[in-house]
Amino acid sequence: MLLCTACLVGLQLLISCCWAFACHSTEPSPDFILPGDYLLAGLFPLHSGCLQVRHRPEVTLCDRPASFNEHGYHLFQAMRLGVEEINNSTALLPNVTLGYQLYDVCSDSASVYATLSVLSLPGPRHIELQGDLLHYSPKVLAVIGPDTTNRAATTAALLSPFLMPLISYGASSETLSVKRQYPSFLRTIPNDKYQVETMVLLLQRFGWTWISLVGSSGDYGQLGVQALEKQATDQGICIAFKDIVPFSAQVGDERMQRLMHHLAQATATVVVVFSNRPLARVFFESVVLANLTGKVWVASEAWVLSRHITGVPGIQRIGMVLGVAIQKRTVPGLKAFEEAYARADKGAPRPCHNSSCCSSNQVCRECEAFTAHTMPKLKGFSMSSAYNAYQAVYAVAHGLHQLLGCASGVCSRGRVYPWQLLEQIHKVNFLLHEDTVMFNDNGDPLSSYNIIAWDWSGPKWTFTVLGSSTWSPVQLDINETKIQWHGKDNQVPKSVCSSDCLEGHQRVVTDFHRCCFECVPCGAGTFLNKSDLYRCQPCGKEEWAPEGSQTCFPRTVVFLACQEHTSWVLLAANTLLLLLLLGTAGLFAWHLDTPVVRSAGGRLCFLMLGSLAAGSSSLYGFFGEPTRPACLLRQALFALGFTIFLSCLTVRSFQLIIIFKFSTKAPTFYHAWVQNHGAGLFVMISSAAQLLICLTWLVVWTPLPTREYQRFPHLVMLECTEANSLGFILAFLYNGLLSISAFACSYLGKDLPENYNEAKCVTFSLLFNFMSWIAFFTTASIYDGKYLPAFNMLAGLSSLSSGFGGYFLPKCYVILCRPDLNSTEHFQASIQDYTRHRGST
């Protein structure tokens, strides 16, 4: 591949030299050439290129009238000064002299010629094609320059096959850092990658998310705009309008008028101008002509400090200019060096008798005519750029110093190949006037930018340094108190398509651009993360958020705690009932043989009291945080206990009916009932049926502790799952059927003897039981909160209390308060009255 590239180089040399060699019968100016042991080349724009439109390839004549470039002249002199200082130094390259070949690169054709001239062998003016380019030894070892990205890319491509070091002082495009394409390219100006990142951070710093973007034709402007658009878009900044100032643009032409119209129509207050100096001048002359004011112009380093731009008439009315500038550096002695050059006797400029003789790019007739009064003024922007060229010369010198082994005090002179010098330049690390000079792996310097603002407050234009930008990573340090904004009350101008949303409101894009949006509040249970303003994100299971929230909050975990007042009341009531049941059992045991206890069922009463006690004990499972044992037992144990009580109550009422009504009418049935222990058998079968239902419930629809999230957005309900199961419904319905049966049997015995007639109390207790559960289910249908277990327990406590009160309390009253009624005589008298009454009817 290198051989093919060398062939291409030879072809370009043949074409370019047709023009150049025709003129070189004329000796170049001595200011452009300095003999030495090792030669460097310098490529500087001493004259400006021709901006007219061309319809065919033409060679640009550099030394033309009114084309002198003051900025390029200062760079030219900075290199000459640097070489002179190094040659006069005893510490750097002792006993070795550097020489130079300087070229005026006013155009692309001149730049190509200079590059090919650099590659030519000493003596003959040609490039020798050979297979091993590593042993190619041209007359020049390294090249300083050129100034623009376009020319640097061309020069770097031609020099890369020979690995000749090329150190540019002005080409900042990021593409030049790609070592696969430009392996021998280095620079002393920062990479545009950092400039673009700095600009994006500057836009973010002031909240400018809606901008216009203008670049200049050529690699610098177009690649800069491309990189800036990509990074800005990635950071949420939208481009309202984008355009390129063409190379052929003229103030007032149709193309520029159209560009100004679009800028005026765009609602963006901020305009980023990534342009070279010549086209930036055309652009701002057009801005002034279009009377485009009130905007903030963000400048790239190429023109931000250029007097060529600040000298545009009326530019102070366009608004405010912020920009990124290379940190100001000074070349010590450069001004004195230029003054000495102007005073030196160089002879009168030679006349140009024909155009061919003036076409050499090593001639500057205007330079020779300078005097102390007519020499170009050295301004801040040119001084900083000159320092970059000066720094590049010293970088080459230090690399050569190491290559020649000059650390011993004496340099070993010998043949040096460009690639050997390139290796050493990559390793340099030295101080130059308190600045560290070194390169990273991509050949970029370790440097920084200043953030500056134009200042028209005084009689003359000046600029204010607001802060700096350092890398990597790129960071801004800005003193905002130094900024004088052009708007009212010194407020930061706004440049947004849509104003920021309120907290907790997401952005819903309404246009092609993400920066144009409507604000919609986030729904309950979602929040707006600042990292993504366009989508509300759901909260976690253990979190909640109200509508329009920016964050989620921990949910409150709730359950019926034992420490609450409601719990204390229910616990006390349940404990009292349990004590009454135990007391009643003791009372009945003491009076077991009395008529009242025997008529109440005798030993069957203890089963009834025990079942009520079991149901009462199950109610303690409704307090505190639900656990697996509590969930398994509390409802099932209550249902089973209440079933046993209802079964006993039903069979007790039914048995009284049989004794008093069917013993004579249906003696066969009565004897079968008594002989087969019908009462006990009924209780066992009825209880076994409920037990089977409960076991099926616990196995198939196992009640477990659960965390319920759907009911309340801000709460986590700790509860058991039994209320949602079919087993719970079946158990409850079974008890309902038993209650109806007990109610029916009690009602049928309403005309029994007074001591055996329990219809009123039992009926009342069962009605109260029905009302309790109806009230509970009604409450559960409208309330599903923390205290629902308390209502459940209250319904269960009411059922148990009504059963105890309706059946046992009257009998306790007789035993304790009316012992005269607890006698055999009283019961026999009651039965005789009942018999007489039935006989009469």
Side-chain angles (χ1 to χ4, degrees):
M1 181 178 176
L2 291 177
L3 187 58
C4 294
T5 306
C7 292
L8 178 61
V9 168
L11 179 61
Q12 290 177 317
L13 176 64
L14 180 63
I15 296 171
S16 302
C17 290
C18 292
W19 153 66
F21 292 159
C23 175
H24 270 72
S25 57
T26 305
E27 288 293 324
S29 170
D31 302 327
F32 287 77
I33 297 176
L34 178 69
D37 298 323
Y38 299 97
L39 293 183
L40 309 182
L43 311 183
F44 304 102
L46 283 169
H47 295 85
S48 299
C50 183
L51 296 178
Q52 69 211 29
V53 178
R54 299 179 179 182
H55 301 287
R56 60 188 177 86
E58 292 180 2
V59 171
T60 302
L61 304 180
C62 288
D63 195 17
R64 305 183 321 277
S67 65
F68 179 72
N69 183 358
E70 293 183 2
H71 179 74
Y73 173 76
H74 297 304
L75 306 178
F76 169 83
Q77 293 291 20
M79 178 166 179
R80 296 181 69 242
L81 172 62
V83 172
E84 183 176 299
E85 288 179 352
I86 292 166
N87 287 340
N88 293 332
S89 171
T90 57
L92 185 61
L93 291 176
N95 73 297
V96 170
T97 59
L98 291 181
Y100 53 70
Q101 291 272 3
L102 306 183
Y103 297 88
D104 184 0
V105 287
C106 66
S107 65
D108 292 339
S109 58
S111 178
V112 171
Y113 166 72
T115 304
L116 297 176
S117 179
V118 163
L119 286 172
S120 63
L121 296 170
R125 306 185 64 82
H126 70 271
I127 298 174
E128 183 178 305
L129 301 181
Q130 55 185 20
D132 187 7
L133 295 179
L134 294 180
H135 292 89
Y136 188 76
S137 183
K139 61 184 178 182
V140 170
L141 283 179
V143 180
I144 310 299
D147 58 330
T148 66
T149 295
N150 282 16
R151 292 169 189 167
T154 302
T155 302
L158 293 172
L159 297 181
S160 290
F162 305 93
L163 293 180
M164 179 178 287
L166 172 66
I167 308 180
S168 176
Y169 49 80
S172 56
S173 175
E174 184 178 354
T175 58
L176 292 168
S177 292
V178 180
K179 294 295 105 178
R180 181 171 53 83
Q181 292 179 307
Y182 308 107
S184 64
F185 179 83
L186 305 96
R187 53 182 153 203
T188 53
I189 186 173
N191 188 331
D192 276 344
K193 169 187 175 182
Y194 305 115
Q195 180 179 193
V196 168
E197 291 183 20
T198 299
M199 285 182 164
V200 171
L201 286 178
L202 188 64
L203 296 172
Q204 289 181 305
R205 178 67 171 267
F206 297 111
W208 296 328
T209 59
W210 187 240
I211 66 170
S212 295
L213 184 55
V214 178
S216 60
S217 182
D219 285 352
Y220 174 77
Q222 290 176 291
L223 293 176
V225 163
Q226 181 180 340
L228 185 58
E229 181 180 19
K230 182 181 183 305
Q231 287 202 29
T233 303
D234 291 343
Q235 296 301 321
I237 298 171
C238 299
I239 312 300
F241 169 71
K242 180 183 71 172
D243 205 350
I244 298 294
V245 180
F247 181 76
S248 59
Q250 297 293 327
V251 179
D253 66 11
E254 183 180 351
R255 180 73 173 78
M256 294 305 295
Q257 287 181 5
R258 188 162 61 251
L259 194 156
M260 293 302 115
H261 174 74
H262 289 313
L263 273 181
Q265 291 296 314
T267 56
T269 305
V270 175
V271 183
V272 180
V273 183
F274 211 106
S275 172
N276 57 37
R277 286 184 301 281
L279 292 181
R281 171 86 182 199
V282 175
F283 174 77
F284 282 106
E285 286 179 350
S286 300
V287 169
V288 173
L289 183 63
N291 196 28
L292 202 57
T293 61
K295 292 188 179 294
V296 177
W297 308 88
V298 179
S300 63
E301 55 82 23
W303 64 270
V304 66
L305 296 180
S306 174
R307 296 278 182 173
H308 188 59
I309 310 302
T310 60
V312 172
I315 197 171
Q316 63 270 25
R317 299 193 303 270
I318 66 172
M320 182 170 187
V321 178
L322 293 176
V324 178
I326 297 172
Q327 287 197 335
K328 187 176 180 181
R329 295 287 187 267
T330 302
V331 181
L334 179 58
K335 184 177 181 182
F337 183 78
E338 291 185 357
E339 290 174 349
Y341 174 79
R343 289 193 300 267
D345 183 12
K346 298 178 287 296
R350 292 169 292 176
C352 184
H353 299 292
N354 56 71
S355 61
S356 64
C357 293
C358 297
S359 63
S360 170
N361 57 354
Q362 288 185 300
V363 172
C364 179
R365 292 179 299 115
E366 192 169 346
C367 301
E368 299 174 5
F370 286 146
T371 66
H373 300 289
T374 61
M375 62 175 288
K377 183 179 290 187
L378 186 57
K379 300 170 185 175
F381 179 74
S382 294
M383 176 62 86
S384 293
S385 298
Y387 183 83
N388 290 338
Y390 177 78
Q391 192 180 56
V393 173
Y394 268 89
V396 174
H398 276 269
L400 189 59
H401 184 89
Q402 295 298 323
L403 184 59
L404 298 179
C406 301
S408 62
V410 178
C411 300
S412 57
R413 302 186 188 187
R415 174 172 288 188
V416 173
Y417 295 106
W419 64 268
Q420 295 175 315
L421 180 57
L422 178 64
E423 285 185 344
Q424 295 302 321
I425 294 175
H426 270 288
K427 299 176 183 178
V428 298
N429 187 346
F430 62 94
L431 282 177
L432 180 63
H433 306 303
E434 299 183 355
D435 289 326
T436 301
V437 179
M438 60 183 299
F439 302 95
N440 63 17
D441 293 339
N442 293 326
D444 297 326
L446 300 180
S447 186
S448 57
Y449 289 113
N450 281 334
I451 309 300
I452 65 103
W454 284 13
D455 185 2
W456 293 96
S457 58
K460 293 183 179 180
W461 174 88
T462 184
F463 64 88
T464 302
V465 177
L466 306 176
S468 62
S469 165
T470 57
W471 57 82
S472 70
V474 175
Q475 293 180 328
L476 284 183
D477 180 17
I478 297 180
N479 184 355
E480 296 186 27
T481 60
K482 292 184 177 182
I483 306 177
Q484 294 298 317
W485 301 104
H486 64 278
K488 293 182 180 180
D489 303 323
N490 197 32
Q491 293 296 311
V492 179
K494 289 187 176 181
S495 188
V496 296
C497 182
S498 299
S499 298
D500 287 340
C501 295
L502 297 174
E503 291 185 357
H505 287 60
Q506 68 173 333
R507 300 176 177 182
V508 178
V509 178
T510 58
D511 197 357
F512 175 76
H513 299 283
R514 284 171 60 86
C515 301
C516 304
F517 50 81
E518 292 180 350
C519 299
V520 177
C522 290
T526 64
F527 73 102
L528 189 69
N529 194 329
K530 291 183 178 179
S531 62
D532 184 3
L533 300 177
Y534 295 87
R535 185 173 65 89
C536 296
Q537 299 182 9
C539 295
K541 286 186 67 175
E542 302 294 330
E543 298 175 320
W544 77 286
E547 183 179 279
S549 178
Q550 265 194 315
T551 185
C552 291
F553 305 96
R555 288 196 185 200
T556 303
V557 179
V558 295
F559 53 88
L560 187 62
C562 298
Q563 296 83 358
E564 299 187 32
H565 295 298
T566 303
S567 300
W568 281 111
V569 172
L570 291 174
L571 281 169
N574 191 51
T575 304
L576 177 61
L577 174 61
L578 197 58
L579 292 175
L580 288 174
L581 291 171
L582 293 175
T584 301
L587 180 65
F588 274 41
W590 186 259
H591 298 86
L592 183 62
D593 294 328
T594 63
V596 169
V597 176
R598 289 201 305 271
S599 68
R603 299 183 185 277
L604 186 65
C605 293
F606 297 109
L607 179 60
M608 297 173 70
L609 289 170
S611 64
L612 290 176
S616 178
S617 300
S618 70
L619 297 181
Y620 288 108
F622 287 93
F623 298 100
E625 182 175 348
T627 61
R628 187 182 181 92
C631 290
L632 288 172
L633 294 177
R634 68 183 191 183
Q635 293 282 20
L637 183 60
F638 174 83
L640 183 61
F642 201 54
T643 295
I644 296 172
F645 171 76
L646 290 174
S647 299
C648 293
L649 186 62
T650 301
V651 79
R652 172 63 184 148
S653 300
F654 183 71
Q655 190 162 329
L656 289 174
I657 294 172
I658 290 176
I659 292 172
F660 284 99
K661 292 187 176 184
F662 296 106
S663 59
T664 57
K665 293 181 179 181
T668 304
F669 176 76
Y670 173 75
H671 290 298
W673 175 268
V674 174
Q675 291 175 358
N676 294 303
H677 306 286
L681 190 62
F682 177 82
V683 171
M684 289 180 60
I685 294 173
S686 175
S687 300
Q690 181 68 293
L691 178 62
L692 181 62
I693 292 174
C694 290
L695 290 176
T696 305
W697 171 18
L698 296 181
V699 172
V700 179
W701 302 283
T702 308
L704 296 172
T706 183
R707 300 171 73 88
E708 206 285 325
Y709 297 94
Q710 302 301 322
R711 204 174 302 158
F712 300 100
H714 60 290
L715 301 177
V716 178
M717 303 290 297
L718 297 187
E719 59 185 19
C720 298
T721 59
E722 71 270 345
N724 301 322
S725 65
L726 181 60
F728 172 77
I729 298 174
L730 291 175
F732 180 81
L733 289 177
Y734 187 80
N735 278 341
L737 291 174
L738 282 177
S739 298
I740 294 173
S741 301
F743 178 83
C745 292
S746 298
Y747 183 77
L748 289 173
K750 66 181 185 297
D751 57 349
L752 294 179
E754 182 180 355
N755 290 334
Y756 296 92
N757 189 343
E758 299 161 346
K760 293 181 180 179
C761 292
V762 172
T763 301
F764 174 78
S765 66
L766 291 175
L767 286 174
F768 194 80
N769 173 50
F770 289 144
M771 291 173 59
S772 298
W773 286 106
I774 290 172
F776 167 71
F777 283 111
T778 303
T779 303
S781 66
I782 59 176
Y783 174 76
D784 208 11
K786 168 184 176 181
Y787 292 101
L788 188 60
F791 288 109
N792 194 341
M793 178 186 175
L794 183 61
L797 186 61
S798 300
S799 297
L800 298 174
S801 299
S802 64
F804 169 75
Y807 191 79
F808 289 102
L809 279 184
K811 296 168 178 56
C812 292
Y813 172 77
V814 170
I815 293 173
L816 295 175
C817 301
R818 298 293 302 273
D820 56 308
L821 301 179
N822 190 13
S823 62
T824 304
E825 294 78 9
H826 176 74
F827 273 82
Q828 288 177 348
S830 177
I831 294 171
Q832 290 173 359
D833 290 341
Y834 172 75
T835 303
R836 285 195 300 270
H837 177 71
R838 282 186 61 83
S840 64
T841 58

